[in-house]
Coordinates of all heavy atoms in Angstrom, one line a residue:
T263 N 26.1 8.6 8.6 CA 26.1 9.3 9.8 C 24.8 9.9 10.2 O 24.4 9.9 11.3 CB 27.2 10.4 9.8 OG1 28.4 9.8 9.4 CG2 27.4 11.1 11.1
Y264 N 24.1 10.5 9.2 CA 22.8 11.1 9.4 C 21.7 10.6 8.5 O 21.4 11.2 7.5 CB 22.9 12.7 9.2 CG 23.9 13.3 10.2 CD1 25.2 13.7 9.7 CD2 23.5 13.5 11.5 CE1 26.1 14.2 10.6 CE2 24.4 14.1 12.4 CZ 25.7 14.5 11.9 OH 26.6 15.1 12.8
P265 N 21.2 9.4 8.7 CA 20.3 8.8 7.8 C 19.0 9.5 7.7 O 18.2 9.4 6.7 CB 20.0 7.4 8.4 CG 20.5 7.4 9.8 CD 21.6 8.5 9.9
E266 N 18.7 10.4 8.7 CA 17.4 11.2 8.6 C 17.5 12.2 7.4 O 16.4 12.6 6.9 CB 17.1 11.9 9.9 CG 18.2 12.9 10.4 CD 19.3 12.2 11.2 OE1 19.4 11.0 11.4 OE2 20.2 13.0 11.7
I267 N 18.7 12.5 7.0 CA 18.8 13.4 5.8 C 18.3 12.6 4.6 O 17.5 13.2 3.8 CB 20.2 13.8 5.6 CG1 20.7 14.8 6.7 CG2 20.4 14.5 4.2 CD1 22.1 15.1 6.7
Y268 N 18.6 11.3 4.5 CA 18.1 10.5 3.3 C 16.6 10.4 3.4 O 15.9 10.5 2.4 CB 18.7 9.1 3.3 CG 20.2 9.1 3.0 CD1 21.1 8.9 4.0 CD2 20.6 9.4 1.7 CE1 22.5 8.9 3.6 CE2 21.9 9.4 1.4 CZ 22.9 9.2 2.3 OH 24.2 9.2 2.0
E269 N 16.0 10.3 4.6 CA 14.6 10.2 4.8 C 13.9 11.5 4.3 O 12.9 11.5 3.6 CB 14.2 9.9 6.2 CG 14.6 8.5 6.6 CD 14.4 8.2 8.1 OE1 13.9 9.1 8.8 OE2 14.7 7.1 8.5
M270 N 14.5 12.6 4.7 CA 13.9 13.9 4.3 C 14.0 14.1 2.8 O 13.0 14.5 2.2 CB 14.7 15.1 5.0 CG 14.3 16.5 4.6 SD 15.3 17.7 5.2 CE 16.9 17.3 4.5
Q271 N 15.1 13.7 2.2 CA 15.2 13.9 0.7 C 14.3 12.9 0.0 O 13.7 13.3 -1.0 CB 16.7 13.6 0.3 CG 17.6 14.8 0.8 CD 19.1 14.4 0.6 OE1 19.5 13.3 0.6 NE2 19.9 15.5 0.4
A272 N 14.2 11.7 0.5 CA 13.3 10.7 -0.1 C 11.9 11.2 -0.1 O 11.1 11.1 -1.0 CB 13.5 9.3 0.5
R273 N 11.5 11.7 1.1 CA 10.1 12.2 1.2 C 9.8 13.3 0.2 O 8.8 13.4 -0.4 CB 9.9 12.8 2.7 CG 8.5 13.5 2.8 CD 8.2 13.8 4.3 NE 7.8 12.6 5.0 CZ 6.5 12.2 4.9 NH1 5.6 12.7 4.1 NH2 6.2 11.1 5.6
A274 N 10.8 14.2 0.0 CA 10.6 15.3 -0.9 C 10.5 14.8 -2.4 O 9.6 15.2 -3.1 CB 11.8 16.3 -0.9
I275 N 11.3 13.8 -2.7 CA 11.2 13.1 -4.0 C 9.9 12.5 -4.2 O 9.2 12.7 -5.3 CB 12.4 12.1 -4.2 CG1 13.7 12.8 -4.3 CG2 12.1 11.2 -5.4 CD1 14.9 11.9 -4.1
F276 N 9.4 11.7 -3.2 CA 8.1 11.0 -3.4 C 6.9 11.9 -3.4 O 6.0 11.7 -4.2 CB 8.0 9.9 -2.3 CG 9.0 8.8 -2.4 CD1 9.7 8.4 -1.3 CD2 9.4 8.3 -3.6 CE1 10.7 7.4 -1.4 CE2 10.4 7.3 -3.7 CZ 11.0 6.9 -2.6
E277 N 6.9 12.9 -2.6 CA 5.8 13.9 -2.6 C 5.8 14.6 -3.9 O 4.7 14.9 -4.4 CB 6.0 14.9 -1.4 CG 5.7 14.2 -0.1 CD 5.9 15.2 1.1 OE1 6.4 16.3 1.0 OE2 5.5 14.7 2.2
A278 N 7.0 15.0 -4.4 CA 7.0 15.7 -5.7 C 6.5 14.7 -6.8 O 5.8 15.2 -7.7 CB 8.4 16.1 -6.0
A279 N 6.9 13.5 -6.8 CA 6.5 12.5 -7.8 C 5.0 12.3 -7.8 O 4.3 12.3 -8.9 CB 7.2 11.2 -7.6
V280 N 4.4 12.3 -6.6 CA 2.9 12.2 -6.5 C 2.2 13.4 -7.1 O 1.3 13.4 -7.8 CB 2.5 11.9 -5.0 CG1 1.0 12.1 -4.9 CG2 2.9 10.6 -4.6
A281 N 2.8 14.6 -6.7 CA 2.2 15.9 -7.2 C 2.3 16.0 -8.7 O 1.3 16.3 -9.3 CB 2.9 17.1 -6.5
V282 N 3.4 15.7 -9.2 CA 3.6 15.8 -10.7 C 2.7 14.7 -11.4 O 2.1 15.0 -12.4 CB 5.1 15.6 -11.1 CG1 5.2 15.5 -12.6 CG2 5.8 16.8 -10.6
S283 N 2.6 13.5 -10.8 CA 1.8 12.5 -11.4 C 0.3 12.9 -11.5 O -0.3 12.7 -12.5 CB 1.9 11.2 -10.6 OG 3.2 10.6 -10.8
K284 N -0.1 13.5 -10.4 CA -1.5 14.0 -10.4 C -1.7 15.1 -11.4 O -2.7 15.2 -12.1 CB -1.9 14.4 -9.0 CG -2.1 13.3 -8.1 CD -2.5 13.7 -6.7 CE -2.7 12.5 -5.7 NZ -3.0 12.9 -4.4
E285 N -0.8 16.0 -11.5 CA -0.9 17.2 -12.3 C -0.8 16.8 -13.8 O -1.6 17.3 -14.6 CB 0.3 18.2 -12.1 CG 0.2 19.5 -12.8 CD 1.3 20.4 -12.5 OE1 1.6 20.6 -11.3 OE2 1.8 21.1 -13.4
L286 N 0.1 15.9 -14.2 CA 0.2 15.5 -15.6 C -0.6 14.3 -15.9 O -0.7 14.0 -17.1 CB 1.7 15.2 -15.9 CG 2.7 16.3 -15.7 CD1 4.1 15.8 -16.0 CD2 2.4 17.5 -16.6
K287 N -1.2 13.7 -14.9 CA -2.0 12.5 -15.1 C -1.2 11.4 -15.8 O -1.6 10.7 -16.7 CB -3.3 12.8 -15.9 CG -4.2 13.7 -15.1 CD -5.5 13.9 -15.8 CE -6.5 14.8 -15.1 NZ -6.1 15.7 -14.1
K288 N 0.1 11.3 -15.4 CA 1.0 10.3 -15.9 C 1.8 9.7 -14.7 O 2.0 10.4 -13.7 CB 2.1 10.9 -16.9 CG 1.5 11.4 -18.2 CD 2.7 11.9 -19.0 CE 2.2 12.3 -20.4 NZ 3.3 12.7 -21.2
T289 N 2.3 8.5 -14.9 CA 3.1 7.9 -13.8 C 4.5 8.5 -13.8 O 5.1 8.5 -14.9 CB 3.1 6.4 -13.9 OG1 1.8 5.9 -13.9 CG2 3.9 5.7 -12.8
V290 N 4.9 8.9 -12.7 CA 6.3 9.4 -12.6 C 7.0 8.4 -11.7 O 6.6 8.0 -10.7 CB 6.4 10.8 -11.9 CG1 7.8 11.2 -11.6 CG2 5.6 11.8 -12.7
E291 N 8.1 7.9 -12.3 CA 8.9 6.8 -11.6 C 10.3 7.4 -11.2 O 11.2 7.3 -12.0 CB 9.0 5.6 -12.4 CG 9.6 4.4 -11.7 CD 9.5 3.1 -12.5 OE1 8.7 3.0 -13.4 OE2 10.3 2.2 -12.1
P292 N 10.5 8.0 -10.0 CA 11.8 8.5 -9.7 C 12.8 7.4 -9.4 O 12.5 6.3 -9.1 CB 11.5 9.3 -8.4 CG 10.3 8.7 -7.8 CD 9.5 8.2 -9.0
E293 N 14.1 7.8 -9.6 CA 15.2 6.9 -9.3 C 16.0 7.5 -8.2 O 16.6 8.6 -8.3 CB 16.1 6.7 -10.5 CG 15.4 6.0 -11.7 CD 16.2 5.9 -12.9 OE1 17.5 6.1 -12.8 OE2 15.7 5.5 -14.0
V294 N 15.9 6.9 -7.0 CA 16.6 7.4 -5.8 C 18.0 6.8 -5.8 O 18.1 5.6 -5.7 CB 15.8 7.1 -4.5 CG1 16.5 7.6 -3.3 CG2 14.3 7.6 -4.6
M295 N 19.0 7.7 -5.8 CA 20.4 7.2 -5.8 C 21.0 7.5 -4.5 O 21.0 8.6 -4.0 CB 21.1 7.9 -7.0 CG 20.5 7.6 -8.4 SD 20.5 5.9 -8.8 CE 22.2 5.6 -9.2
I296 N 21.6 6.5 -3.9 CA 22.3 6.6 -2.6 C 23.8 7.0 -3.0 O 24.5 6.2 -3.6 CB 22.2 5.4 -1.8 CG1 20.8 5.0 -1.5 CG2 23.1 5.5 -0.5 CD1 20.5 3.7 -0.9
P297 N 24.3 8.2 -2.6 CA 25.7 8.5 -2.9 C 26.7 8.0 -1.9 O 26.3 7.7 -0.7 CB 25.6 10.0 -2.9 CG 24.6 10.3 -1.8 CD 23.5 9.3 -2.0
L298 N 27.9 7.8 -2.4 CA 29.0 7.5 -1.5 C 28.8 6.3 -0.6 O 29.3 6.2 0.5 CB 29.4 8.7 -0.6 CG 29.7 10.0 -1.4 CD1 29.9 11.2 -0.4 CD2 31.0 9.8 -2.2
A299 N 28.2 5.2 -1.2 CA 28.0 4.0 -0.5 C 29.3 3.2 -0.4 O 30.0 3.0 -1.5 CB 26.9 3.2 -1.1
L300 N 29.6 2.6 0.7 CA 30.8 1.8 0.9 C 30.5 0.3 0.8 O 31.4 -0.4 0.5 CB 31.5 2.2 2.2 CG 32.2 3.5 2.3 CD1 32.7 3.7 3.7 CD2 33.3 3.6 1.3
S301 N 29.3 -0.1 1.2 CA 29.1 -1.5 1.3 C 27.6 -1.8 1.0 O 26.8 -1.0 1.1 CB 29.4 -2.0 2.8 OG 28.5 -1.4 3.7
K302 N 27.4 -3.1 0.7 CA 26.0 -3.6 0.5 C 25.2 -3.4 1.7 O 24.0 -3.0 1.7 CB 26.0 -5.0 0.1 CG 24.6 -5.5 -0.2 CD 24.6 -7.0 -0.7 CE 23.3 -7.5 -1.0 NZ 22.1 -7.1 -0.3
R303 N 25.7 -3.6 2.9 CA 25.0 -3.4 4.2 C 24.5 -2.0 4.3 O 23.4 -1.8 4.7 CB 25.9 -3.8 5.4 CG 25.2 -3.5 6.7 CD 25.6 -4.5 7.7 NE 25.2 -4.1 9.1 CZ 23.9 -4.1 9.5 NH1 22.9 -4.4 8.7 NH2 23.6 -3.7 10.7
E304 N 25.3 -1.0 4.0 CA 24.9 0.4 4.1 C 23.8 0.6 3.1 O 22.8 1.3 3.5 CB 26.1 1.3 3.7 CG 25.8 2.7 3.8 CD 27.0 3.6 3.5 OE1 28.0 3.1 3.0 OE2 26.9 4.9 3.7
I305 N 23.9 0.1 1.9 CA 22.8 0.3 0.9 C 21.5 -0.4 1.4 O 20.4 0.2 1.3 CB 23.2 -0.2 -0.5 CG1 24.4 0.6 -1.0 CG2 22.0 -0.3 -1.4 CD1 25.0 0.0 -2.3
D306 N 21.6 -1.6 2.0 CA 20.4 -2.3 2.5 C 19.8 -1.5 3.6 O 18.5 -1.4 3.6 CB 20.8 -3.7 3.0 CG 21.2 -4.6 1.9 OD1 20.9 -4.4 0.7 OD2 21.9 -5.6 2.2
I307 N 20.5 -0.9 4.5 CA 20.0 -0.1 5.6 C 19.2 1.1 5.1 O 18.1 1.4 5.4 CB 21.1 0.3 6.6 CG1 21.6 -0.9 7.4 CG2 20.6 1.4 7.5 CD1 22.9 -0.7 8.1
L308 N 19.9 1.8 4.2 CA 19.3 3.0 3.6 C 18.1 2.7 2.7 O 17.1 3.4 2.7 CB 20.3 3.9 2.9 CG 21.4 4.5 3.8 CD1 22.5 5.1 3.0 CD2 20.8 5.5 4.8
K309 N 18.2 1.6 2.0 CA 17.0 1.3 1.1 C 15.8 0.9 2.0 O 14.7 1.3 1.6 CB 17.4 0.1 0.2 CG 16.2 -0.3 -0.7 CD 16.5 -1.4 -1.6 CE 15.4 -1.8 -2.6 NZ 14.1 -1.8 -2.1
A310 N 16.0 0.3 3.1 CA 14.9 0.0 4.0 C 14.2 1.2 4.5 O 13.0 1.3 4.5 CB 15.4 -0.9 5.1
R311 N 15.1 2.2 4.8 CA 14.5 3.5 5.3 C 13.8 4.2 4.2 O 12.7 4.8 4.4 CB 15.6 4.4 5.9 CG 16.2 3.7 7.2 CD 17.3 4.6 7.7 NE 16.7 5.6 8.6 CZ 17.1 5.8 9.8 NH1 18.0 5.1 10.4 NH2 16.5 6.8 10.5
I312 N 14.3 4.2 3.0 CA 13.7 4.8 1.8 C 12.4 4.1 1.5 O 11.4 4.8 1.2 CB 14.7 4.8 0.6 CG1 15.8 5.8 0.8 CG2 13.9 5.2 -0.7 CD1 17.0 5.6 -0.1
D313 N 12.4 2.8 1.5 CA 11.1 2.1 1.3 C 10.1 2.4 2.3 O 8.9 2.6 2.0 CB 11.4 0.5 1.4 CG 12.2 0.0 0.2 OD1 12.3 0.8 -0.8 OD2 12.8 -1.1 0.3
A314 N 10.5 2.6 3.6 CA 9.5 3.0 4.6 C 8.9 4.4 4.4 O 7.7 4.6 4.5 CB 10.2 2.9 6.0
V315 N 9.8 5.3 3.9 CA 9.3 6.6 3.6 C 8.3 6.6 2.4 O 7.3 7.2 2.4 CB 10.4 7.6 3.3 CG1 9.9 8.9 2.8 CG2 11.3 7.8 4.6
A316 N 8.6 5.8 1.4 CA 7.7 5.7 0.2 C 6.4 5.1 0.7 O 5.3 5.6 0.2 CB 8.4 4.8 -0.8
A317 N 6.4 4.1 1.5 CA 5.1 3.5 2.0 C 4.3 4.6 2.8 O 3.1 4.7 2.7 CB 5.4 2.3 2.9
E318 N 5.0 5.3 3.6 CA 4.4 6.4 4.4 C 3.7 7.4 3.5 O 2.6 7.8 3.8 CB 5.4 7.0 5.4 CG 4.8 8.0 6.4 CD 5.9 8.4 7.3 OE1 6.6 7.6 7.9 OE2 5.9 9.7 7.6
V319 N 4.5 7.9 2.6 CA 3.9 8.9 1.6 C 2.8 8.3 0.9 O 1.7 9.0 0.6 CB 5.0 9.5 0.7 CG1 4.4 10.4 -0.4 CG2 6.1 10.3 1.5
G320 N 2.9 7.1 0.5 CA 1.8 6.4 -0.2 C 0.5 6.4 0.6 O -0.6 6.6 0.1
R321 N 0.7 6.0 1.9 CA -0.5 6.0 2.8 C -1.1 7.4 2.9 O -2.3 7.6 2.9 CB -0.1 5.5 4.2 CG 0.0 3.9 4.2 CD 0.2 3.4 5.6 NE 1.3 4.0 6.4 CZ 2.5 3.6 6.3 NH1 2.8 2.6 5.6 NH2 3.5 4.2 7.0
E322 N -0.2 8.4 3.1 CA -0.7 9.8 3.3 C -1.4 10.3 2.1 O -2.4 11.1 2.2 CB 0.5 10.7 3.7 CG 1.1 10.4 5.0 CD 2.4 11.1 5.3 OE1 2.8 11.9 4.4 OE2 2.9 10.9 6.4
T323 N -1.0 10.0 0.9 CA -1.5 10.6 -0.3 C -2.5 9.7 -1.0 O -3.2 10.1 -1.9 CB -0.4 10.9 -1.3 OG1 0.3 9.7 -1.7 CG2 0.6 11.9 -0.7
G324 N -2.5 8.4 -0.6 CA -3.4 7.4 -1.3 C -2.9 7.0 -2.7 O -3.6 6.4 -3.5
A325 N -1.6 7.3 -3.0 CA -1.0 7.0 -4.3 C -0.1 5.8 -4.2 O 0.5 5.5 -3.1 CB -0.2 8.2 -4.8
K326 N 0.0 5.1 -5.3 CA 0.9 3.9 -5.3 C 2.1 4.5 -6.0 O 2.1 5.0 -7.1 CB 0.3 2.8 -6.2 CG 1.3 1.6 -6.3 CD 0.6 0.4 -6.8 CE 1.5 -0.8 -7.0 NZ 2.8 -0.8 -6.5
I327 N 3.3 4.5 -5.3 CA 4.5 5.1 -5.8 C 5.4 4.0 -6.4 O 5.8 3.1 -5.7 CB 5.2 5.9 -4.7 CG1 4.2 6.9 -4.1 CG2 6.5 6.5 -5.2 CD1 4.8 7.6 -2.8
K328 N 5.7 4.1 -7.7 CA 6.7 3.3 -8.3 C 8.0 4.0 -8.3 O 8.1 5.2 -8.6 CB 6.3 3.0 -9.7 CG 5.2 2.0 -9.9 CD 4.9 1.7 -11.3 CE 6.1 1.0 -11.9 NZ 5.9 0.5 -13.3
Y329 N 9.1 3.3 -7.9 CA 10.4 4.0 -7.8 C 11.5 2.9 -7.9 O 11.3 1.8 -7.7 CB 10.5 4.8 -6.6 CG 10.4 4.0 -5.3 CD1 11.6 3.6 -4.6 CD2 9.2 3.7 -4.8 CE1 11.5 2.8 -3.5 CE2 9.1 2.9 -3.6 CZ 10.2 2.5 -3.0 OH 10.1 1.7 -1.8
L330 N 12.7 3.4 -8.1 CA 13.9 2.5 -8.1 C 14.9 3.1 -7.1 O 14.9 4.3 -6.9 CB 14.6 2.5 -9.5 CG 13.7 2.0 -10.6 CD1 14.4 2.2 -12.0 CD2 13.5 0.5 -10.4
V331 N 15.6 2.3 -6.5 CA 16.7 2.7 -5.5 C 18.0 2.1 -6.0 O 18.1 0.9 -6.4 CB 16.4 2.2 -4.1 CG1 17.6 2.6 -3.2 CG2 15.1 2.8 -3.6
G332 N 19.0 2.9 -6.1 CA 20.3 2.4 -6.6 C 21.4 3.2 -5.9 O 21.2 4.0 -5.0
T333 N 22.6 3.0 -6.4 CA 23.8 3.8 -5.9 C 24.7 4.1 -7.1 O 24.6 3.5 -8.1 CB 24.5 3.0 -4.9 OG1 25.6 3.8 -4.3 CG2 25.2 1.7 -5.4
M334 N 25.5 5.1 -6.8 CA 26.5 5.5 -7.8 C 27.8 4.9 -7.3 O 28.2 5.1 -6.1 CB 26.6 7.0 -7.9 CG 25.3 7.6 -8.4 SD 25.2 9.4 -8.1 CE 24.7 9.4 -6.3
I335 N 28.5 4.2 -8.1 CA 29.8 3.6 -7.7 C 30.9 4.7 -8.0 O 31.4 4.8 -9.1 CB 30.1 2.3 -8.5 CG1 29.0 1.3 -8.2 CG2 31.5 1.8 -8.0 CD1 28.9 0.8 -6.8
E336 N 31.1 5.5 -7.0 CA 32.0 6.7 -7.1 C 33.2 6.6 -6.2 O 34.1 7.4 -6.4 CB 31.2 8.0 -6.9 CG 30.5 8.0 -5.6 CD 29.4 9.0 -5.6 OE1 29.2 9.8 -6.5 OE2 28.6 9.0 -4.6
L337 N 33.3 5.6 -5.4 CA 34.5 5.5 -4.5 C 35.3 4.3 -5.0 O 34.8 3.3 -5.4 CB 34.1 5.2 -3.1 CG 33.2 6.2 -2.4 CD1 32.8 5.8 -1.0 CD2 34.0 7.5 -2.3
P338 N 36.6 4.5 -5.1 CA 37.5 3.4 -5.6 C 37.3 2.1 -4.9 O 37.2 1.0 -5.6 CB 38.9 4.0 -5.5 CG 38.7 5.4 -5.5 CD 37.4 5.7 -4.8
R339 N 37.2 2.1 -3.6 CA 37.0 0.9 -2.8 C 35.7 0.2 -3.3 O 35.7 -1.0 -3.5 CB 37.0 1.2 -1.3 CG 36.8 -0.1 -0.5 CD 36.8 0.3 1.0 NE 36.7 -0.9 1.8 CZ 35.6 -1.5 2.1 NH1 34.4 -1.1 1.6 NH2 35.6 -2.6 2.9
A340 N 34.6 0.9 -3.4 CA 33.3 0.3 -3.8 C 33.4 -0.2 -5.2 O 32.9 -1.3 -5.5 CB 32.2 1.4 -3.7
A341 N 34.1 0.5 -6.1 CA 34.2 0.0 -7.5 C 35.0 -1.3 -7.5 O 34.6 -2.2 -8.2 CB 34.9 1.1 -8.3
L342 N 36.0 -1.4 -6.7 CA 36.9 -2.6 -6.8 C 36.1 -3.8 -6.1 O 36.3 -4.9 -6.5 CB 38.2 -2.3 -6.1 CG 39.1 -1.4 -6.8 CD1 40.3 -1.0 -5.9 CD2 39.6 -2.0 -8.1
R343 N 35.3 -3.5 -5.1 CA 34.6 -4.6 -4.4 C 33.2 -4.9 -5.1 O 32.6 -5.9 -4.7 CB 34.4 -4.2 -3.0 CG 35.7 -4.1 -2.2 CD 35.4 -3.9 -0.7 NE 34.4 -4.7 -0.2 CZ 34.6 -5.9 0.4 NH1 35.8 -6.4 0.4 NH2 33.6 -6.6 0.9
A344 N 32.8 -4.2 -6.1 CA 31.5 -4.4 -6.7 C 31.4 -5.7 -7.4 O 30.3 -6.2 -7.7 CB 31.2 -3.3 -7.6
G345 N 32.5 -6.3 -7.7 CA 32.5 -7.6 -8.4 C 32.3 -7.5 -9.9 O 31.9 -8.3 -10.6

């Protein structure tokens, strides 16, 4: 309903990962989890938005951000349709 919330949260995650990576001089690889996903299409749409935010933060900071995007299968319908 409000995909901009995911963008704001993803930005916070990526900016924090860059800051911690610089501070510790180690690569931080966050795992961004999409909650309450009902379908692959929903995950694809949100993953594209998260990827765009990661690219934007990377351009702004000059950092290469490694990350994973996934989902938690927490809804019975999603669990049954997951194959």
Side-chain angles (χ1 to χ4, degrees):
T263 305
Y264 300 101
E266 60 275 6
I267 293 172
Y268 291 106
E269 292 173 359
M270 176 187 62
Q271 292 173 331
R273 174 172 281 282
I275 290 167
F276 297 135
E277 288 177 350
V280 169
V282 171
S283 291
K284 287 180 180 178
E285 185 177 319
L286 297 180
K287 297 185 180 21
K288 291 184 178 180
T289 301
V290 174
E291 188 173 340
E293 296 180 11
V294 181
M295 302 300 286
I296 300 169
L298 301 172
L300 287 175
S301 66
K302 182 178 181 324
R303 175 146 169 71
E304 181 179 8
I305 294 169
D306 291 341
I307 290 167
L308 292 172
K309 183 179 182 313
R311 293 181 86 131
I312 291 166
D313 290 344
V315 171
E318 186 176 313
V319 171
R321 282 190 303 276
E322 291 170 1
T323 62
K326 180 167 178 8
I327 303 171
K328 287 182 64 174
Y329 61 96
L330 299 171
V331 176
T333 186
M334 299 165 278
I335 302 296
E336 51 201 355
L337 299 176
R339 180 179 183 277
L342 292 171
R343 292 188 46 91

